[in-house]
Structures are given as structure tokens and as C-alpha cells.
Amino acid sequence: MRVEVVADEAALAIRAADLVCDAVRAKPATRLGLPTGNTPIPAYAEIARRVAVGEADFSRADIYGIDEFAGVARTTPGTNSMFYRQYVHFGQRALHCPNPSATEPDEHIRAFADALRRAGGLDLCVLGIGVNGHIAFNEPGSPRDSRARVVELTPASREAHATTFGSLDAVPSHGMTLGVADLLEARRIVVLVSAARKATVVRAAIEGAQTAGVPASWLQSHGGVTWLLDAAAAAALSRGT
Ligand code: PGA
């Protein structure tokens, strides 16, 4: 596992864009998993800028969503599908997202994961983490061998999305997610984390025991993970980086 620390959110966006663009340059037909959340938005803007000026070419890349809410229309503000439409302005040749209005969400997300595996799996998966250590919608309690499934969202995760859905009541109770085991099948993983409020969970995920209580700690068992942190998110790490 590599841990890279940069000064601040702006530097994080540039470095994240470097890592993703380098991967796509090395393999133009990359299958790329991308997270939602506030953290990656500046990186997505930087990648889109590079594509717009011809410094990067994502025309052969396939982009995969890694989780989605369940039980709402795809066009509902707040869904991950809408997030990608709003922020991922590159490589939309093939944007593969679970359908939040699937009538059988458990079957749907399993079929989504199977199709991804049949296509060859993710070459690079970018992840964020929640303050409770979740990765995608794998909330605390998710075992290492968990697969794509429907999950009940924690109150904290629902609250984090209240603004984009318009109110807490409007946030669905359940989501669909690739499982921890599915995410760990990506050949490379880059985890983006900024802000002091994540410093404690970053330390637990990187330096603590591997445990379902902190799903991001399972990333320690993958040989190709790069943690990309800003200084505030790295502040509680005990070892030099
Ligand atoms: P954030 O979300 O980037 O908005 O903090 C990350 C996450 O909850 O996975």
C-alpha cells in the first residue's frame, strides 16, 4: 500500500487527475470505477479540463458507478446517476450505472457486478471513504467477502445526502453496492480523502486492524492501493509517509 500526502484539496485534485489520466494513457480502453461524493468533484473537473484541451483522451474508457440508491427514479436529484451526469464530463462513451428504479434491486446489482466481471473487471477503481469507514455503500459490518447486494443505509449516510435529495425523508432507505470483495478485485485502487474530519477514520483504515467495523480497512489486504490524502486527512497517521 502506498500513502501519498499532498498539501490541500486543490493539490489532491491535480494528483488524483494525474493518477487517473496516467492509467487511461497506459490503457485507453480502461474500465474505471468512480465514486460519488464531494471529495472527487474537483478531480473530475480537472480531468474534464484536460480532456477539453486535448491533454487527455477518455474516448475509449468505460466508466462504472460503484453504488446507487434503490427505489427512486434515475432522474431524481440526489441519485448517483444524476451525480455522474452533473460532474463526470469525460469518457461518457460508456457510462455504466446501476439503475436506481430497478424493480428487483438485489438481482439488478448482482447482474451489474456479473456483467462487469465478464467485461474483464475494473482496471482502476477510485474510492472515497465515509467518516464511518464505508467504501461505496459497504457500511460498517460489511465483511471482506461481501458481494454486490442491497444494503440498508445508515442514518449518517442518509443525512449526508439530505441536501441533494431535498430533505432527509426523501433519501431512500436502501442502496445497491458492489461488495467489498468486488471492489478488491480491481487491479488498482486509489482512495481519495480530504478534510480533518476524516483523519481518525483514515488512521483506523490504514493503521488499525482489518475489520468489518471499518470496511476501508479491508483495503490493507490489496497489493495495489494508493491512499491519496491531503495533509488534514493524514494528520492522525502515526508513521512517516
Ligand atoms: P464525501 O463522501 O466525499 O462527500 O465526504 C465520501 C463518502 O461518503 O464515501
Side-chain angles (χ1 to χ4, degrees):
M1 149 166 59
R2 282 164 50 82
V3 180
E4 281 188 43
V5 181
V6 297
D8 54 20
E9 282 183 50
L12 190 85
I14 302 291
R15 185 67 186 131
D18 287 348
L19 291 174
V20 174
C21 290
D22 285 352
V24 173
R25 193 174 303 114
K27 182 181 176 188
T30 283
R31 285 176 298 278
L32 177 63
L34 292 181
T36 60
N38 293 312
T39 309
I41 291 173
Y44 295 161
E46 172 61 14
I47 295 170
R49 186 196 67 74
R50 294 183 192 188
V51 169
V53 300
E55 289 173 13
D57 178 5
F58 279 61
S59 60
R60 294 180 57 204
D62 282 82
I63 294 174
Y64 287 82
I66 55 177
D67 57 10
E68 179 55 288
F69 294 91
V72 281
R74 210 191 266 276
T75 50
T76 306
T79 63
N80 293 350
S81 299
M82 291 299 280
F83 175 95
Y84 292 112
R85 198 180 290 186
Q86 192 173 354
Y87 296 110
V88 178
H89 296 294
F90 50 89
Q92 298 214 6
R93 178 185 81 82
L95 180 55
H96 309 267
C97 291
N99 180 359
S101 64
T103 48
E104 302 282 352
D106 217 24
E107 206 171 287
H108 176 73
I109 193 66
R110 278 201 303 269
F112 180 84
D114 286 346
L116 169 56
R117 199 171 304 114
R118 277 198 308 276
L122 294 174
D123 296 295
L124 173 61
C125 189
V126 181
L127 294 174
I129 70 169
V131 286
N132 66 4
H134 69 219
I135 46 176
F137 274 150
N138 293 285
E139 300 279 21
S142 299
R144 189 189 183 286
D145 61 358
S146 57
R147 288 289 176 182
R149 67 203 186 286
V150 169
V151 291
E152 184 171 1
L153 301 176
T154 59
S157 290
R158 292 187 65 240
E159 273 158 29
H161 291 91
T163 308
T164 47
F165 275 92
S167 73
L168 184 56
D169 282 349
V171 182
S173 58
H174 288 75
M176 299 174 274
T177 188
L178 293 182
V180 174
D182 301 308
L183 297 172
L184 290 173
E185 282 172 4
R187 287 171 193 84
R188 284 187 59 209
I189 295 173
V190 173
V191 196
L192 306 181
V193 200
S194 62
R197 69 196 173 87
K198 300 234 178 113
T200 306
V201 75
V202 163
R203 178 177 180 164
I206 295 177
E207 299 182 352
Q210 294 182 47
T211 165
V214 183
S217 67
W218 297 128
L219 298 170
Q220 292 174 29
S221 65
H222 188 291
V225 174
T226 300
W227 286 85
L228 187 50
L229 311 172
D230 75 356
L237 290 178
S238 60
R239 62 177 190 210
T241 50

